[in-house]
Amino acid sequence: MMQTRKDALRILPLGGLGEIGMNLLLYGIDDHFFVCDCGVQFCDPWMVGAEHRLPDLDLLLEYKDLIRAIILTHGHEDHIGAVQFVGSLLKVPVYAPPFAAEIIRLKEEEYGSHIVRDLLKTKDKDVVNIGKMQIRFLRVTHSIPDTFALVIETPFGTIVHTSDFKMDDDPYDGVGFDYDGFKKIGDKGVRLLLSDSTNALVEGHTRTEKDAIEAVGHLIKEAKGRVLVSLFASNVHRVLGIIEKAQAAQKRVAIVGKSIHLYLEAYRRAGYLTAPLDLVDERRIERLDDKELVVICTGSQAEPRSALVRASLQDHENLRIHADDTVILSSRIIPGNEKAIFRMINNLARLGARVFHERVAQVHASGHACRDEERQMIRLLRPKAFIPIHGEYAFMKAHHELASEEGIQDCFLVENGHLIEVTKQGIEVVERMTLNHHYVDGSLVGDAEELRLDERRKMGWHGVVAVWAFVQKKRKRLGARCSIKTIGIPTVEKKMLDELEMHLCDEIEDMPLSVQKKQVEETIEGCIRGFFRRKIDKKPFVLSFVEFEED
Ligand SMILES: [Zn+2]
């Protein structure tokens, strides 16, 4: 539990430091805290029984009485995806930019439950007061509309939390990065900067969003046949930009993928989209001439149920791949998804499509600052101290070095669970807590132990053996009958099980007459494990049911 013994601003990251995703930081003075962002992380496929990873909900529960609000910087899932879980736990107001707020509401409509009661929309330069902290929203550019940095005025100085950002000087909606705003804050003096490290290993400046749209537009114009563009559904500006490019090339556009419709609807409800989009219904795709059509679809990360993956497997009711289709993956190839993405690309190629992606064409622009922009952020603000956030450890380390090179004296490399105190005298890490992450499995939420994740993974790997043993106490010795069933154990033949049953009966019958049920169960488990280890090098779970029968 966080100590409130001395006069200090406390910062406690619970996610997003040393990893990509699941961003959540606590900021607070005395007994007034707020949660900054509330993200989830997608679990690796080997994590049987877990779809999403959540920040440590038990720890948040400990701070429940101190936390007064949740403040969200933008609508990406790794910043808002856990809001329904954290929101229902803390029951505090949630402040979010209009687009993020509408995404939350639309998702609630989808689940059919209204979890976030008090959802307040925050705009550029809006101020929220939490105890002695005054938090102001300052516009940045990113790969999703409506993204803000937080400027936190405290008695210990001004803290700037950049959230995710890039410096796009020519953004799609014309609402640019607030250079003046940042410079003014810098002029007044910044005590501590916490800045996005995602691209700290990438030299230079990010490509602008319009450049990526332009590159996709060029391919659309040149294409002889149909064009399919797959992208992150949340990148609404790119979706709209590509629709414009297609229409300028005299082509019609269809959208395939529920999430793209959801984000467009959120954008519309936020008041940013007023004109109707002239779209072709996805059921009419096949009726249009190939050269007249552009399809914008989900599946850029080869997500198993996404439109493009299903089309690549010839398993989509409305979308089929034609020979001479041009497929553009206008997105990052995320390292963990690489295998699945290239499997999909191969399948698309096999069906005759020509595939363009970020490694062969400039069809994507990152939403995160590269080193030049990170440097520029530091130069605008000239902070006294610096903490890299949002990134894997190596990225944060590189960002930390960059800040040192820029002449910042106090640079800290901290991780999730490290409690930082900012006082009048200095900044230090005062505690290192071990965090217990939570997971979502359908409607279930719990930590790894509660969801039995380890057991489920091992069960999938090693299988299960159930044994029924009926033991008779005869006059001089025991008699036994056994029956065995297996689940998920490869290469088990009936002959092998018969052999095992006989072996088990022999073992039980050799036990003393005074034997207890527990000892029989232990013998069965030992026998079964030994048997499968020797035969196929597996350690299955054993369920034994022992009954003593009267002779
Ligand atoms: Zn983001």
Side-chain angles (χ1 to χ4, degrees), residues 177-402:
F177 183 94
D178 191 351
Y179 289 100
D180 273 355
F182 277 92
K183 191 175 173 300
K184 272 186 199 140
I185 294 157
D187 290 344
K188 278 198 257 165
V190 172
R191 180 71 197 281
L192 170 66
L193 166 65
L194 298 99
S195 184
D196 180 6
S197 312
T198 310
N199 274 337
L201 293 174
V202 185
E203 287 296 344
H205 196 289
T206 47
R207 196 172 295 136
T208 71
E209 194 53 44
K210 278 190 182 166
D211 284 346
I213 293 169
E214 208 54 59
V216 174
H218 181 73
L219 289 171
I220 288 174
K221 210 168 140 202
E222 296 294 301
K224 300 275 179 287
R226 211 170 48 157
V227 182
L228 279 67
V229 188
S230 156
L231 36 59
F232 292 114
S234 57
N235 196 335
V236 174
H237 287 161
R238 196 173 300 173
V239 173
L240 294 172
I242 291 168
I243 293 174
E244 282 170 20
K245 290 288 173 198
Q247 289 170 347
Q250 312 300 321
K251 301 193 186 205
R252 304 286 311 276
V253 178
I255 287 177
V256 184
K258 226 169 69 180
S259 54
I260 304 177
H261 288 292
L262 181 136
Y263 283 102
L264 279 175
E265 178 60 18
Y267 198 60
R268 188 180 292 283
R269 289 194 190 181
Y272 301 132
L273 183 63
T274 43
L277 297 170
D278 179 22
L279 299 173
V280 178
D281 189 303
E282 71 166 81
R283 287 164 299 190
R284 290 191 52 232
I285 286 177
E286 292 297 328
R287 288 195 219 151
L288 265 86
D289 198 357
D290 276 5
K291 60 178 183 304
E292 287 175 3
L293 187 67
V294 173
V295 177
I296 301 177
C297 59
T298 52
S300 67
Q301 297 307 311
E303 303 89 334
R305 298 300 300 153
S306 62
L308 194 56
V309 167
R310 285 165 61 198
S312 75
L313 297 171
Q314 298 180 282
D315 182 31
H316 197 286
E317 59 270 35
N318 299 320
L319 184 61
R320 280 185 282 281
I321 303 298
H322 299 176
D324 301 325
D325 276 357
T326 299
V327 178
I328 305 167
L329 307 184
S330 175
S331 56
R332 183 166 174 238
I333 295 175
I334 294 176
N337 304 335
E338 226 166 23
K339 269 192 187 169
I341 293 172
F342 283 101
R343 202 179 306 128
M344 175 179 77
I345 290 175
N346 283 319
N347 289 336
L348 290 167
R350 206 167 275 131
L351 295 170
R354 226 173 133 210
V355 187
F356 294 89
H357 50 80
E358 64 161 354
R359 302 210 182 143
V360 296
Q362 303 197 327
V363 289
H364 174 58
S366 170
H368 299 272
C370 293
R371 287 173 73 82
D372 280 355
E373 294 144 281
E374 288 172 349
R375 219 171 266 126
Q376 205 176 342
M377 179 63 92
I378 290 166
R379 287 178 188 174
L380 281 169
L381 294 175
R382 286 152 284 136
K384 285 208 176 71
F386 178 81
I387 297 177
I389 55 168
H390 301 344
E392 295 192 16
Y393 196 85
F395 308 168
M396 297 199 310
K397 191 158 181 280
H399 202 183
H400 177 271
E401 278 162 18
L402 180 142

Side-chain angles (χ1 to χ4, degrees), residues 23 73-79 142-144 147 163-165 367-368:
N23 300 292
T73 60
H74 65 290
H76 273 146
E77 277 298 283
D78 58 343
H79 291 255
H142 187 35
S143 45
I144 190 168
T147 304
S163 185
D164 291 347
F165 79 97
H368 299 272

Side-chain angles (χ1 to χ4, degrees), residues 522-536:
E522 281 168 7
T523 302
I524 290 173
E525 278 167 36
C527 266
I528 299 273
R529 278 168 197 249
F531 181 86
F532 282 101
R533 198 166 47 234
R534 281 194 307 277
K535 292 278 186 192
I536 54 171

Side-chain angles (χ1 to χ4, degrees), residues 6-51:
K6 67 177 171 185
D7 212 15
L9 164 76
R10 290 178 180 82
I11 306 170
L12 176 61
L14 296 188
L17 274 70
E19 63 192 347
I20 296 281
M22 208 180 76
N23 300 292
L24 192 152
L25 283 97
L26 281 172
Y27 285 93
I29 298 174
D30 303 331
D31 54 357
H32 279 73
F33 280 77
F34 75 92
V35 170
C36 171
D37 285 332
C38 231
V40 287
Q41 203 174 44
F42 293 97
C43 289
D44 292 327
W46 59 265
M47 290 207 63
V48 179
E51 295 146 33

